[in-house]
């Protein structure tokens, strides 16, 4: 198993932490077989983001948007949490005050057993009426002849689209979590989408120790006290180990 620079001091900081907040992005789900957005093969490399993940795109062609999200959800449902997701669920069971703020909508953190999960960009377990807020569970493809709601609104994926604000309660909880955390860990995010990235770059507490897990340098890397260059499934299990592993 290849050594990862910085693993021992990062692990020591984590062992001493009473409060931890983790921010994840699509990279943590790569080893579950899900694509990222901006990397090679990423969704935004092959799809028209403004037509699929924006209120304007939905207003223009709701059937296209539902078809795309149904395809993504079917892929999510076939995927399984990987060792990275499971390591974070294990960490949560050990730390007194733990918050997981994710940009992902694939529900893999919940399926891995994580409890205190803030799904900042929404999820694909429900549809929501864009006028009255009525919700209905998403099981199988959304019936395209039922998009129109009796109230005059339309059922849409419960996702935060470009140009939309994050759910206020979730955002407040995330800000409070990073402000009080002894350690904040960013995993698998390029750090280019706001306001989520600001949790790691501007809103983190001045005494907080910051760790990034990513095989590549990201926009967050300059803000990290330690960057662990490696994948989520290979690094996170070693990071959350409680006894000294082979890496020392
Ligand atoms: N383990 C950890 N990180 C990985 C792995 C891996 N196996 N593979 C790739 N990565 C990293 C990449 O190096 C990159 O930094 O994951 C990151 C993915 O970045 P993006 O594709 O930009 O995805 P993300 O940061 O989650 O995007 C944020 O943008 O489109 C919106 O709402 C969407 O939530 C998404 C947000």
């Amino acid at each position: 198993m290849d050594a990862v620079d910085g693993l021992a001091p990062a692990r020591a900081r984590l062992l001493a932490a009473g409060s931890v907040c983790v921010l994840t992005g699509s990279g943590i789900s790569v080893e579950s077989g899900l694509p990222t957005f901006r990397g090679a093969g990423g969704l935004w490399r092959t799809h028209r983001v403004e037509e699929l993940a924006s209120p304007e795109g939905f207003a223009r062609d709701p059937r296209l948007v539902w078809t795309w999200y149904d395809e993504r959800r079917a892929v999510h449902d076939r995927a399984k949490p990987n060792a990275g997701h499971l390591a974070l669920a294990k960490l949560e069971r050990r730390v007194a005050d733990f918050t997981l703020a994710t940009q992902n909508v694939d529900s893999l953190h919940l399926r891995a057993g994580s409890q205190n999960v803030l799904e900042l960009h929404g999820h694909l377990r429900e549809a929501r009426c864009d006028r009255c807020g009525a919700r209905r569970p998403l099981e199988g493809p959304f019936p395209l002849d039922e998009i129109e709601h009796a109230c005059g609104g339309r059922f849409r994926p419960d996702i935060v689209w470009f140009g939309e604000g994050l759910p206020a309660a979730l955002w407040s909880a995330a800000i409070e979590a990073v402000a009080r955390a002894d350690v904040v860990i960013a995993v698998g995010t390029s750090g280019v989408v706001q306001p989520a990235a600001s949790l790691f770059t501007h809103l983190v507490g001045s005494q907080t120790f910051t760790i990034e897990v990513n095989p590549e340098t990201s926009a967050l890397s300059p803000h990290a006290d330690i960057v662990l260059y490696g994948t989520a499934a290979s690094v996170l299990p070693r990071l959350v180990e409680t006894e000294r592993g082979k890496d020392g």
Side-chain angles (χ1 to χ4, degrees):
M1 191 181 287
D2 55 338
V4 176
D5 286 348
L7 198 55
R11 186 189 295 129
R13 283 280 183 160
L14 203 48
L15 277 171
S19 173
V20 174
C21 183
V22 181
L23 170 66
T24 63
S26 61
I28 195 170
S29 298
V30 164
E31 287 150 294
S32 296
L34 301 186
T36 62
F37 289 95
R38 296 168 183 84
L43 288 170
W44 299 150
R45 294 291 178 89
T46 51
H47 292 78
R48 306 173 302 284
V49 53
E50 58 286 340
E51 293 197 14
L52 296 168
S54 71
E56 298 75 19
F58 182 72
R60 193 167 39 246
D61 191 342
R63 299 168 75 93
L64 169 69
V65 172
W66 267 117
T67 303
W68 185 61
Y69 277 100
D70 282 339
E71 287 166 4
R72 284 187 64 197
R73 199 164 45 77
V75 172
H76 295 170
D77 291 350
R78 288 194 297 271
K80 291 187 176 28
N82 64 56
H85 296 106
L86 296 170
L88 293 183
K90 178 181 173 186
L91 179 62
E92 178 173 16
R93 292 191 288 270
R94 181 181 98 206
V95 174
D97 172 22
F98 182 90
T99 302
L100 173 52
T102 186
Q103 301 169 89
N104 301 341
V105 301
D106 58 30
S107 299
L108 286 178
H109 284 303
L110 292 174
R111 288 173 52 196
S114 290
Q115 308 268 319
N116 189 21
V117 180
L118 306 175
E119 294 175 302
L120 301 176
H121 292 171
H123 56 79
L124 285 174
R125 298 183 299 277
E126 288 178 320
R128 169 171 57 83
C129 173
D130 60 8
R131 181 171 181 179
C132 72
R135 290 171 179 277
R136 53 185 284 180
L138 282 177
E139 290 139 358
F142 188 87
L144 296 180
D145 57 352
E146 296 178 20
I147 294 175
E148 307 299 328
H149 187 218
C151 78
R154 285 174 164 168
F155 277 108
R156 55 169 280 179
D158 198 14
I159 296 287
V160 178
W161 283 328
F162 286 97
E164 295 186 319
L166 274 58
L170 293 186
W171 182 240
S172 301
I175 291 175
E176 287 161 20
V178 292
R180 67 173 183 267
D182 301 309
V183 172
V184 172
I185 309 171
V187 184
T189 180
S190 59
V192 300
V193 172
Q194 298 298 353
S198 66
L199 291 171
F200 194 81
T201 56
H202 296 88
L203 297 170
V204 70
S206 56
Q207 301 307 312
T208 305
F209 193 80
T210 53
I211 301 167
E212 181 185 28
V213 177
N214 196 319
E216 296 171 14
T217 297
S218 77
L220 302 186
S221 305
H223 301 268
D225 292 307
I226 291 183
V227 178
L228 302 174
Y229 284 102
T231 70
S234 63
V235 171
L236 286 175
R238 294 149 79 185
L239 177 61
V240 307
E241 268 173 10
T242 48
E243 59 284 338
R244 285 169 69 90
K246 281 190 290 302
D247 309 285

PDB file of all heavy atoms in Angstrom, residues 184 191 197-198 200-202 204 208-212 218-227:
ATOM      1  N   VAL A 184     -11.653  20.224  10.022  1.00  0.00           N
ATOM      2  CA  VAL A 184     -12.546  20.184   8.856  1.00  0.00           C
ATOM      3  C   VAL A 184     -11.814  19.436   7.746  1.00  0.00           C
ATOM      4  O   VAL A 184     -10.639  19.706   7.480  1.00  0.00           O
ATOM      5  CB  VAL A 184     -12.953  21.588   8.376  1.00  0.00           C
ATOM      6  CG1 VAL A 184     -13.719  21.506   7.055  1.00  0.00           C
ATOM      7  CG2 VAL A 184     -13.821  22.292   9.431  1.00  0.00           C
ATOM      8  N   GLY A 191     -13.856  22.387  -5.386  1.00  0.00           N
ATOM      9  CA  GLY A 191     -13.906  23.654  -4.652  1.00  0.00           C
ATOM     10  C   GLY A 191     -14.209  24.849  -5.536  1.00  0.00           C
ATOM     11  O   GLY A 191     -13.845  25.980  -5.209  1.00  0.00           O
ATOM     12  N   ALA A 197     -17.962  25.755  -1.248  1.00  0.00           N
ATOM     13  CA  ALA A 197     -16.494  25.802  -1.120  1.00  0.00           C
ATOM     14  C   ALA A 197     -16.056  26.777  -0.021  1.00  0.00           C
ATOM     15  O   ALA A 197     -15.040  26.572   0.650  1.00  0.00           O
ATOM     16  CB  ALA A 197     -15.860  26.200  -2.448  1.00  0.00           C
ATOM     17  N   SER A 198     -16.860  27.814   0.210  1.00  0.00           N
ATOM     18  CA  SER A 198     -16.455  28.812   1.220  1.00  0.00           C
ATOM     19  C   SER A 198     -16.453  28.219   2.623  1.00  0.00           C
ATOM     20  O   SER A 198     -15.797  28.733   3.528  1.00  0.00           O
ATOM     21  CB  SER A 198     -17.397  30.019   1.177  1.00  0.00           C
ATOM     22  OG  SER A 198     -18.708  29.636   1.594  1.00  0.00           O
ATOM     23  N   PHE A 200     -14.897  25.747   3.458  1.00  0.00           N
ATOM     24  CA  PHE A 200     -13.520  25.304   3.710  1.00  0.00           C
ATOM     25  C   PHE A 200     -12.539  26.465   3.616  1.00  0.00           C
ATOM     26  O   PHE A 200     -11.479  26.462   4.233  1.00  0.00           O
ATOM     27  CB  PHE A 200     -13.132  24.224   2.680  1.00  0.00           C
ATOM     28  CG  PHE A 200     -11.886  23.448   3.014  1.00  0.00           C
ATOM     29  CD1 PHE A 200     -11.921  22.391   3.918  1.00  0.00           C
ATOM     30  CD2 PHE A 200     -10.662  23.772   2.415  1.00  0.00           C
ATOM     31  CE1 PHE A 200     -10.780  21.652   4.217  1.00  0.00           C
ATOM     32  CE2 PHE A 200      -9.510  23.046   2.711  1.00  0.00           C
ATOM     33  CZ  PHE A 200      -9.571  21.987   3.623  1.00  0.00           C
ATOM     34  N   THR A 201     -12.892  27.470   2.853  1.00  0.00           N
ATOM     35  CA  THR A 201     -11.901  28.529   2.575  1.00  0.00           C
ATOM     36  C   THR A 201     -12.091  29.768   3.447  1.00  0.00           C
ATOM     37  O   THR A 201     -11.125  30.359   3.889  1.00  0.00           O
ATOM     38  CB  THR A 201     -12.012  28.959   1.089  1.00  0.00           C
ATOM     39  OG1 THR A 201     -13.364  29.370   0.843  1.00  0.00           O
ATOM     40  CG2 THR A 201     -11.640  27.817   0.157  1.00  0.00           C
ATOM     41  N   HIS A 202     -13.331  30.151   3.719  1.00  0.00           N
ATOM     42  CA  HIS A 202     -13.529  31.415   4.448  1.00  0.00           C
ATOM     43  C   HIS A 202     -14.268  31.265   5.765  1.00  0.00           C
ATOM     44  O   HIS A 202     -14.092  32.065   6.675  1.00  0.00           O
ATOM     45  CB  HIS A 202     -14.329  32.400   3.567  1.00  0.00           C
ATOM     46  CG  HIS A 202     -13.596  32.798   2.338  1.00  0.00           C
ATOM     47  ND1 HIS A 202     -13.663  32.079   1.153  1.00  0.00           N
ATOM     48  CD2 HIS A 202     -12.727  33.806   2.103  1.00  0.00           C
ATOM     49  CE1 HIS A 202     -12.884  32.654   0.242  1.00  0.00           C
ATOM     50  NE2 HIS A 202     -12.305  33.688   0.783  1.00  0.00           N
ATOM     51  N   VAL A 204     -14.332  28.605   7.812  1.00  0.00           N
ATOM     52  CA  VAL A 204     -13.746  27.696   8.795  1.00  0.00           C
ATOM     53  C   VAL A 204     -13.152  28.528   9.939  1.00  0.00           C
ATOM     54  O   VAL A 204     -12.712  29.680   9.726  1.00  0.00           O
ATOM     55  CB  VAL A 204     -12.685  26.837   8.078  1.00  0.00           C
ATOM     56  CG1 VAL A 204     -11.483  27.674   7.696  1.00  0.00           C
ATOM     57  CG2 VAL A 204     -12.276  25.650   8.917  1.00  0.00           C
ATOM     58  N   THR A 208      -9.118  26.145  13.449  1.00  0.00           N
ATOM     59  CA  THR A 208      -9.483  24.824  12.919  1.00  0.00           C
ATOM     60  C   THR A 208      -8.374  24.259  12.047  1.00  0.00           C
ATOM     61  O   THR A 208      -7.768  24.990  11.251  1.00  0.00           O
ATOM     62  CB  THR A 208     -10.777  24.956  12.082  1.00  0.00           C
ATOM     63  OG1 THR A 208     -11.781  25.551  12.887  1.00  0.00           O
ATOM     64  CG2 THR A 208     -11.241  23.601  11.578  1.00  0.00           C
ATOM     65  N   PHE A 209      -8.121  22.970  12.202  1.00  0.00           N
ATOM     66  CA  PHE A 209      -7.123  22.292  11.369  1.00  0.00           C
ATOM     67  C   PHE A 209      -7.835  21.742  10.135  1.00  0.00           C
ATOM     68  O   PHE A 209      -8.861  21.073  10.257  1.00  0.00           O
ATOM     69  CB  PHE A 209      -6.473  21.141  12.153  1.00  0.00           C
ATOM     70  CG  PHE A 209      -5.227  20.595  11.502  1.00  0.00           C
ATOM     71  CD1 PHE A 209      -4.005  21.265  11.636  1.00  0.00           C
ATOM     72  CD2 PHE A 209      -5.273  19.446  10.732  1.00  0.00           C
ATOM     73  CE1 PHE A 209      -2.858  20.776  11.032  1.00  0.00           C
ATOM     74  CE2 PHE A 209      -4.136  18.948  10.116  1.00  0.00           C
ATOM     75  CZ  PHE A 209      -2.929  19.617  10.265  1.00  0.00           C
ATOM     76  N   THR A 210      -7.300  22.073   8.952  1.00  0.00           N
ATOM     77  CA  THR A 210      -7.995  21.683   7.716  1.00  0.00           C
ATOM     78  C   THR A 210      -7.197  20.618   6.964  1.00  0.00           C
ATOM     79  O   THR A 210      -5.984  20.715   6.815  1.00  0.00           O
ATOM     80  CB  THR A 210      -8.181  22.914   6.804  1.00  0.00           C
ATOM     81  OG1 THR A 210      -6.906  23.538   6.606  1.00  0.00           O
ATOM     82  CG2 THR A 210      -9.152  23.901   7.427  1.00  0.00           C
ATOM     83  N   ILE A 211      -7.924  19.614   6.498  1.00  0.00           N
ATOM     84  CA  ILE A 211      -7.336  18.489   5.755  1.00  0.00           C
ATOM     85  C   ILE A 211      -8.114  18.323   4.458  1.00  0.00           C
ATOM     86  O   ILE A 211      -9.354  18.428   4.453  1.00  0.00           O
ATOM     87  CB  ILE A 211      -7.443  17.186   6.582  1.00  0.00           C
ATOM     88  CG1 ILE A 211      -6.717  17.316   7.925  1.00  0.00           C
ATOM     89  CG2 ILE A 211      -6.913  15.983   5.803  1.00  0.00           C
ATOM     90  CD1 ILE A 211      -7.059  16.177   8.917  1.00  0.00           C
ATOM     91  N   GLU A 212      -7.395  18.095   3.355  1.00  0.00           N
ATOM     92  CA  GLU A 212      -8.066  17.786   2.090  1.00  0.00           C
ATOM     93  C   GLU A 212      -7.653  16.392   1.631  1.00  0.00           C
ATOM     94  O   GLU A 212      -6.468  16.014   1.756  1.00  0.00           O
ATOM     95  CB  GLU A 212      -7.715  18.810   0.996  1.00  0.00           C
ATOM     96  CG  GLU A 212      -8.438  18.505  -0.323  1.00  0.00           C
ATOM     97  CD  GLU A 212      -8.038  19.397  -1.479  1.00  0.00           C
ATOM     98  OE1 GLU A 212      -6.902  19.892  -1.488  1.00  0.00           O
ATOM     99  OE2 GLU A 212      -8.880  19.622  -2.367  1.00  0.00           O
ATOM    100  N   SER A 218      -6.749  21.001  -5.844  1.00  0.00           N
ATOM    101  CA  SER A 218      -8.031  21.654  -6.145  1.00  0.00           C
ATOM    102  C   SER A 218      -7.960  23.108  -5.706  1.00  0.00           C
ATOM    103  O   SER A 218      -6.945  23.566  -5.168  1.00  0.00           O
ATOM    104  CB  SER A 218      -9.144  20.948  -5.359  1.00  0.00           C
ATOM    105  OG  SER A 218      -9.086  21.380  -4.000  1.00  0.00           O
ATOM    106  N   ALA A 219      -9.052  23.828  -5.880  1.00  0.00           N
ATOM    107  CA  ALA A 219      -9.089  25.237  -5.444  1.00  0.00           C
ATOM    108  C   ALA A 219      -9.023  25.323  -3.917  1.00  0.00           C
ATOM    109  O   ALA A 219      -8.745  26.378  -3.358  1.00  0.00           O
ATOM    110  CB  ALA A 219     -10.364  25.892  -5.960  1.00  0.00           C
ATOM    111  N   LEU A 220      -9.291  24.196  -3.247  1.00  0.00           N
ATOM    112  CA  LEU A 220      -9.253  24.200  -1.779  1.00  0.00           C
ATOM    113  C   LEU A 220      -7.844  23.949  -1.258  1.00  0.00           C
ATOM    114  O   LEU A 220      -7.519  24.310  -0.122  1.00  0.00           O
ATOM    115  CB  LEU A 220     -10.194  23.131  -1.215  1.00  0.00           C
ATOM    116  CG  LEU A 220     -11.666  23.216  -1.614  1.00  0.00           C
ATOM    117  CD1 LEU A 220     -12.465  22.167  -0.854  1.00  0.00           C
ATOM    118  CD2 LEU A 220     -12.222  24.613  -1.389  1.00  0.00           C
ATOM    119  N   SER A 221      -7.004  23.331  -2.067  1.00  0.00           N
ATOM    120  CA  SER A 221      -5.688  22.871  -1.575  1.00  0.00           C
ATOM    121  C   SER A 221      -4.870  23.965  -0.887  1.00  0.00           C
ATOM    122  O   SER A 221      -4.289  23.726   0.177  1.00  0.00           O
ATOM    123  CB  SER A 221      -4.884  22.249  -2.728  1.00  0.00           C
ATOM    124  OG  SER A 221      -5.625  21.214  -3.340  1.00  0.00           O
ATOM    125  N   PRO A 222      -4.848  25.201  -1.427  1.00  0.00           N
ATOM    126  CA  PRO A 222      -4.051  26.236  -0.742  1.00  0.00           C
ATOM    127  C   PRO A 222      -4.568  26.557   0.674  1.00  0.00           C
ATOM    128  O   PRO A 222      -3.844  27.143   1.477  1.00  0.00           O
ATOM    129  CB  PRO A 222      -4.200  27.463  -1.660  1.00  0.00           C
ATOM    130  CG  PRO A 222      -4.604  26.921  -2.987  1.00  0.00           C
ATOM    131  CD  PRO A 222      -5.434  25.695  -2.683  1.00  0.00           C
ATOM    132  N   HIS A 223      -5.800  26.162   0.952  1.00  0.00           N
ATOM    133  CA  HIS A 223      -6.391  26.475   2.268  1.00  0.00           C
ATOM    134  C   HIS A 223      -6.265  25.313   3.238  1.00  0.00           C
ATOM    135  O   HIS A 223      -6.736  25.397   4.364  1.00  0.00           O
ATOM    136  CB  HIS A 223      -7.880  26.826   2.098  1.00  0.00           C
ATOM    137  CG  HIS A 223      -8.115  27.995   1.186  1.00  0.00           C
ATOM    138  ND1 HIS A 223      -8.206  29.290   1.622  1.00  0.00           N
ATOM    139  CD2 HIS A 223      -8.260  28.046  -0.172  1.00  0.00           C
ATOM    140  CE1 HIS A 223      -8.394  30.096   0.582  1.00  0.00           C
ATOM    141  NE2 HIS A 223      -8.422  29.363  -0.516  1.00  0.00           N
ATOM    142  N   ALA A 224      -5.645  24.237   2.782  1.00  0.00           N
ATOM    143  CA  ALA A 224      -5.552  23.039   3.623  1.00  0.00           C
ATOM    144  C   ALA A 224      -4.236  23.045   4.408  1.00  0.00           C
ATOM    145  O   ALA A 224      -3.166  23.299   3.841  1.00  0.00           O
ATOM    146  CB  ALA A 224      -5.652  21.790   2.760  1.00  0.00           C
ATOM    147  N   ASP A 225      -4.316  22.705   5.699  1.00  0.00           N
ATOM    148  CA  ASP A 225      -3.062  22.544   6.468  1.00  0.00           C
ATOM    149  C   ASP A 225      -2.315  21.307   5.971  1.00  0.00           C
ATOM    150  O   ASP A 225      -1.085  21.284   5.936  1.00  0.00           O
ATOM    151  CB  ASP A 225      -3.394  22.395   7.957  1.00  0.00           C
ATOM    152  CG  ASP A 225      -3.962  23.695   8.543  1.00  0.00           C
ATOM    153  OD1 ASP A 225      -3.294  24.729   8.370  1.00  0.00           O
ATOM    154  OD2 ASP A 225      -5.055  23.677   9.117  1.00  0.00           O
ATOM    155  N   ILE A 226      -3.089  20.271   5.621  1.00  0.00           N
ATOM    156  CA  ILE A 226      -2.482  19.062   5.048  1.00  0.00           C
ATOM    157  C   ILE A 226      -3.341  18.624   3.860  1.00  0.00           C
ATOM    158  O   ILE A 226      -4.576  18.546   3.987  1.00  0.00           O
ATOM    159  CB  ILE A 226      -2.425  17.902   6.079  1.00  0.00           C
ATOM    160  CG1 ILE A 226      -1.410  18.223   7.192  1.00  0.00           C
ATOM    161  CG2 ILE A 226      -2.058  16.590   5.393  1.00  0.00           C
ATOM    162  CD1 ILE A 226      -1.252  17.090   8.214  1.00  0.00           C
ATOM    163  N   VAL A 227      -2.704  18.343   2.733  1.00  0.00           N
ATOM    164  CA  VAL A 227      -3.398  17.739   1.585  1.00  0.00           C
ATOM    165  C   VAL A 227      -2.936  16.294   1.502  1.00  0.00           C
ATOM    166  O   VAL A 227      -1.730  16.017   1.404  1.00  0.00           O
ATOM    167  CB  VAL A 227      -3.081  18.458   0.261  1.00  0.00           C
ATOM    168  CG1 VAL A 227      -3.806  17.757  -0.901  1.00  0.00           C
ATOM    169  CG2 VAL A 227      -3.507  19.934   0.333  1.00  0.00           C
TER     170      VAL A 227
END
